[in-house]
Coordinates of all heavy atoms in Angstrom, one line a residue:
D736 N 15.5 -19.5 -10.4 CA 15.7 -19.6 -9.1 C 16.5 -20.9 -8.8 O 16.2 -22.1 -9.2 CB 14.3 -19.7 -8.3 CG 13.5 -18.5 -8.4 OD1 14.1 -17.4 -8.3 OD2 12.3 -18.6 -8.6
G737 N 17.5 -20.7 -8.0 CA 18.4 -21.9 -7.7 C 18.5 -22.2 -6.2 O 18.3 -21.3 -5.4
S738 N 19.0 -23.4 -5.9 CA 19.1 -23.7 -4.5 C 20.1 -24.9 -4.4 O 20.4 -25.5 -5.4 CB 17.7 -24.2 -3.9 OG 17.9 -24.4 -2.5
G739 N 20.7 -25.1 -3.1 CA 21.6 -26.2 -3.0 C 22.1 -26.3 -1.6 O 21.6 -25.7 -0.7
A740 N 23.1 -27.0 -1.4 CA 23.7 -27.3 -0.1 C 25.2 -27.0 -0.2 O 25.9 -27.5 -1.2 CB 23.5 -28.7 0.3
F741 N 25.8 -26.2 0.7 CA 27.1 -25.6 0.7 C 27.8 -26.2 2.0 O 27.4 -26.1 3.1 CB 27.0 -24.2 0.6 CG 28.4 -23.5 0.3 CD1 28.9 -23.5 -0.9 CD2 29.2 -23.0 1.4 CE1 30.2 -23.0 -1.2 CE2 30.4 -22.3 1.1 CZ 30.8 -22.3 -0.3
S742 N 29.1 -26.7 1.9 CA 29.8 -27.2 3.0 C 30.9 -26.2 3.6 O 31.5 -26.5 4.6 CB 30.5 -28.5 2.6 OG 31.5 -28.2 1.6
G743 N 30.9 -25.1 3.0 CA 32.0 -24.1 3.4 C 31.3 -23.1 4.4 O 30.1 -23.2 4.9
T744 N 32.0 -21.9 4.6 CA 31.5 -20.9 5.5 C 30.6 -19.9 4.6 O 30.7 -19.9 3.4 CB 32.7 -20.1 6.1 OG1 33.4 -19.5 5.0 CG2 33.6 -21.1 6.9
K745 N 30.0 -18.9 5.3 CA 29.3 -17.9 4.5 C 30.2 -17.1 3.7 O 29.8 -16.6 2.7 CB 28.4 -17.0 5.6 CG 27.2 -17.8 6.2 CD 26.4 -16.9 7.1 CE 25.2 -17.5 7.6 NZ 24.4 -16.6 8.4
R746 N 31.4 -16.7 4.3 CA 32.3 -15.9 3.5 C 32.7 -16.6 2.2 O 32.8 -15.9 1.2 CB 33.5 -15.6 4.4 CG 34.6 -14.7 3.7 CD 35.8 -14.6 4.6 NE 36.4 -15.8 4.9 CZ 37.2 -16.4 4.1 NH1 37.5 -16.0 2.9 NH2 37.8 -17.6 4.4
Q747 N 33.0 -17.9 2.3 CA 33.3 -18.7 1.2 C 32.2 -18.7 0.2 O 32.5 -18.7 -1.1 CB 33.8 -20.1 1.5 CG 35.1 -20.1 2.3 CD 35.4 -21.5 2.9 OE1 34.5 -22.2 3.3 NE2 36.7 -21.9 2.8
F748 N 31.0 -18.8 0.7 CA 29.9 -18.7 -0.3 C 29.7 -17.4 -1.0 O 29.5 -17.4 -2.2 CB 28.6 -19.0 0.5 CG 27.3 -19.1 -0.5 CD1 27.1 -20.1 -1.3 CD2 26.5 -18.0 -0.5 CE1 26.0 -20.2 -2.2 CE2 25.4 -18.0 -1.3 CZ 25.1 -19.2 -2.1
G749 N 30.0 -16.3 -0.3 CA 30.0 -15.0 -0.9 C 31.1 -14.8 -2.0 O 30.8 -14.3 -3.0
E750 N 32.2 -15.5 -1.7 CA 33.3 -15.5 -2.7 C 33.0 -16.3 -4.0 O 33.3 -16.0 -5.1 CB 34.6 -16.0 -2.2 CG 35.2 -15.1 -1.0 CD 36.4 -15.7 -0.3 OE1 36.6 -16.9 -0.4 OE2 37.0 -15.0 0.5
F751 N 32.2 -17.4 -3.7 CA 31.7 -18.3 -4.8 C 30.8 -17.6 -5.7 O 30.9 -17.6 -6.9 CB 31.1 -19.5 -4.1 CG 30.3 -20.4 -5.1 CD1 31.0 -21.2 -6.0 CD2 29.0 -20.3 -5.2 CE1 30.3 -21.9 -7.0 CE2 28.2 -21.1 -6.2 CZ 28.9 -21.9 -7.0
I752 N 29.9 -16.8 -5.1 CA 28.9 -16.1 -6.0 C 29.6 -15.1 -6.8 O 29.3 -14.8 -8.0 CB 27.7 -15.5 -5.1 CG1 26.9 -16.6 -4.4 CG2 26.9 -14.5 -5.8 CD1 26.1 -17.3 -5.5
K753 N 30.6 -14.4 -6.2 CA 31.3 -13.3 -6.9 C 32.0 -13.9 -8.1 O 32.1 -13.4 -9.2 CB 32.3 -12.7 -5.9 CG 33.1 -11.4 -6.6 CD 34.0 -10.8 -5.6 CE 34.7 -9.6 -6.2 NZ 35.4 -10.0 -7.5
K754 N 32.7 -15.1 -7.8 CA 33.4 -15.7 -9.0 C 32.5 -16.2 -10.1 O 32.8 -16.1 -11.2 CB 34.2 -16.9 -8.4 CG 35.5 -16.4 -7.5 CD 36.2 -17.7 -7.0 CE 37.3 -17.3 -6.1 NZ 38.0 -18.5 -5.6
V755 N 31.4 -16.7 -9.6 CA 30.4 -17.1 -10.7 C 29.9 -15.9 -11.4 O 29.8 -15.9 -12.7 CB 29.1 -17.8 -9.9 CG1 28.0 -18.0 -10.9 CG2 29.6 -19.1 -9.3
N756 N 29.5 -14.8 -10.8 CA 29.1 -13.6 -11.5 C 30.2 -13.1 -12.4 O 29.9 -12.6 -13.6 CB 28.7 -12.6 -10.6 CG 27.3 -12.8 -10.1 OD1 26.5 -13.4 -10.7 ND2 27.0 -12.1 -8.9
D757 N 31.5 -13.1 -12.0 CA 32.6 -12.7 -12.9 C 32.6 -13.6 -14.2 O 32.9 -13.0 -15.2 CB 33.9 -12.8 -12.2 CG 34.0 -11.7 -11.0 OD1 33.3 -10.8 -11.0 OD2 34.9 -11.9 -10.1
R758 N 32.3 -14.8 -14.1 CA 32.4 -15.7 -15.2 C 31.2 -15.6 -16.2 O 31.4 -15.6 -17.4 CB 32.6 -17.1 -14.8 CG 33.9 -17.4 -14.0 CD 34.0 -18.8 -13.8 NE 35.3 -19.1 -12.8 CZ 35.9 -20.2 -12.8 NH1 35.4 -21.3 -13.4 NH2 37.0 -20.4 -12.1
I759 N 30.0 -15.5 -15.6 CA 28.8 -15.5 -16.5 C 28.4 -14.1 -16.9 O 27.5 -14.0 -17.8 CB 27.6 -16.2 -15.7 CG1 27.2 -15.3 -14.5 CG2 28.0 -17.6 -15.3 CD1 26.0 -15.8 -13.7
S760 N 29.1 -13.1 -16.4 CA 28.7 -11.7 -16.8 C 29.0 -11.4 -18.3 O 28.2 -10.6 -19.0 CB 29.5 -10.6 -16.0 OG 30.9 -10.8 -16.1
C761 N 29.9 -12.2 -18.9 CA 30.2 -12.0 -20.3 C 29.0 -12.5 -21.1 O 28.8 -12.1 -22.3 CB 31.3 -12.8 -20.7 SG 31.2 -14.6 -20.4
H762 N 28.1 -13.2 -20.6 CA 26.9 -13.6 -21.3 C 25.6 -12.9 -20.9 O 24.5 -13.3 -21.2 CB 26.6 -15.1 -21.2 CG 27.7 -16.0 -21.9 ND1 27.9 -15.9 -23.2 CD2 28.6 -16.8 -21.3 CE1 28.9 -16.7 -23.5 NE2 29.3 -17.3 -22.4
G763 N 25.8 -11.8 -20.1 CA 24.7 -11.0 -19.7 C 24.1 -11.5 -18.3 O 23.0 -10.8 -18.0
L764 N 24.5 -12.6 -17.8 CA 23.8 -13.1 -16.6 C 24.3 -12.5 -15.4 O 25.5 -12.2 -15.3 CB 23.9 -14.7 -16.6 CG 23.2 -15.4 -17.6 CD1 23.3 -17.0 -17.4 CD2 21.7 -15.0 -17.9
N765 N 23.6 -12.5 -14.3 CA 24.1 -12.0 -13.0 C 23.1 -12.5 -11.9 O 21.9 -12.4 -12.0 CB 24.0 -10.4 -13.1 CG 24.4 -9.9 -11.7 OD1 25.5 -10.1 -11.2 ND2 23.6 -9.1 -11.1
I766 N 23.8 -13.1 -10.9 CA 23.0 -13.5 -9.7 C 22.9 -12.3 -8.8 O 24.0 -11.9 -8.1 CB 23.7 -14.7 -9.1 CG1 23.7 -15.9 -10.1 CG2 23.0 -15.0 -7.7 CD1 24.4 -17.1 -9.4
D767 N 21.9 -11.7 -8.7 CA 21.8 -10.5 -7.9 C 21.3 -10.7 -6.5 O 21.4 -9.8 -5.6 CB 20.9 -9.4 -8.6 CG 19.4 -9.8 -8.7 OD1 19.2 -11.1 -8.8 OD2 18.5 -9.0 -8.8
E768 N 20.6 -11.8 -6.2 CA 20.1 -12.1 -4.9 C 20.4 -13.5 -4.5 O 20.4 -14.4 -5.3 CB 18.5 -12.0 -4.8 CG 18.0 -10.6 -5.1 CD 16.6 -10.5 -5.0 OE1 15.9 -11.5 -4.6 OE2 15.9 -9.5 -5.4
H769 N 21.0 -13.6 -3.3 CA 21.4 -14.9 -2.8 C 21.3 -14.9 -1.3 O 21.3 -13.9 -0.7 CB 22.8 -15.4 -3.3 CG 23.8 -14.4 -2.8 ND1 24.3 -13.3 -3.5 CD2 24.7 -14.4 -1.7 CE1 25.2 -12.7 -2.9 NE2 25.5 -13.3 -1.8
C770 N 21.0 -16.1 -0.7 CA 20.9 -16.3 0.6 C 21.5 -17.6 1.1 O 21.3 -18.6 0.4 CB 19.4 -16.3 1.1 SG 19.0 -16.7 2.7
I771 N 22.2 -17.6 2.2 CA 22.8 -18.8 2.8 C 22.6 -18.7 4.3 O 22.8 -17.7 4.9 CB 24.3 -19.0 2.4 CG1 24.8 -20.4 3.0 CG2 25.1 -17.9 2.9 CD1 26.1 -20.7 2.4
E772 N 22.1 -19.8 4.9 CA 21.9 -19.8 6.3 C 22.8 -20.8 7.1 O 23.4 -21.7 6.4 CB 20.5 -20.2 6.6 CG 19.4 -19.2 6.0 CD 19.5 -17.8 6.7 OE1 20.2 -17.7 7.9 OE2 18.8 -16.9 6.3
D773 N 23.0 -20.6 8.4 CA 23.7 -21.6 9.1 C 23.1 -22.9 9.2 O 21.8 -23.0 9.0 CB 23.9 -21.0 10.5 CG 24.9 -19.8 10.6 OD1 25.8 -19.9 9.8 OD2 24.6 -18.9 11.4
P774 N 23.8 -24.0 9.6 CA 23.0 -25.3 9.7 C 21.9 -25.2 10.7 O 22.0 -24.6 11.7 CB 24.2 -26.2 10.2 CG 25.5 -25.6 9.7 CD 25.2 -24.1 9.7
G775 N 20.8 -25.8 10.3 CA 19.6 -25.8 11.2 C 18.6 -24.6 10.9 O 17.5 -24.5 11.4
E776 N 19.1 -23.7 10.1 CA 18.3 -22.5 9.7 C 17.7 -22.7 8.3 O 18.4 -23.1 7.4 CB 19.1 -21.2 9.7 CG 19.7 -20.9 11.1 CD 18.6 -20.5 12.1 OE1 17.5 -20.0 11.7 OE2 18.8 -20.9 13.3
Y777 N 16.4 -22.4 8.1 CA 15.7 -22.7 6.9 C 16.0 -21.6 5.9 O 16.3 -20.4 6.1 CB 14.2 -22.6 7.1 CG 13.5 -23.8 7.9 CD1 13.0 -23.6 9.2 CD2 13.4 -25.0 7.2 CE1 12.5 -24.6 9.9 CE2 12.8 -26.1 7.9 CZ 12.4 -25.8 9.1 OH 11.8 -26.9 9.8
V778 N 16.0 -22.1 4.6 CA 16.0 -21.2 3.4 C 14.7 -21.6 2.6 O 14.2 -22.7 2.6 CB 17.2 -21.3 2.5 CG1 18.4 -20.9 3.2 CG2 17.4 -22.7 1.9

Side-chain angles (χ1 to χ4, degrees):
D736 296 319
S738 184
F741 192 77
S742 62
T744 64
K745 288 185 175 181
R746 179 183 61 81
Q747 289 172 324
F748 181 75
E750 293 173 351
F751 167 77
I752 292 294
K753 184 179 183 303
K754 290 178 181 178
V755 170
N756 278 333
D757 288 342
R758 297 187 180 197
I759 65 177
S760 61
C761 61
H762 293 298
L764 296 185
N765 178 57
I766 297 175
D767 66 331
E768 295 181 8
H769 59 273
C770 171
I771 184 168
E772 298 291 351
D773 290 325
E776 298 293 328
Y777 287 109
V778 296

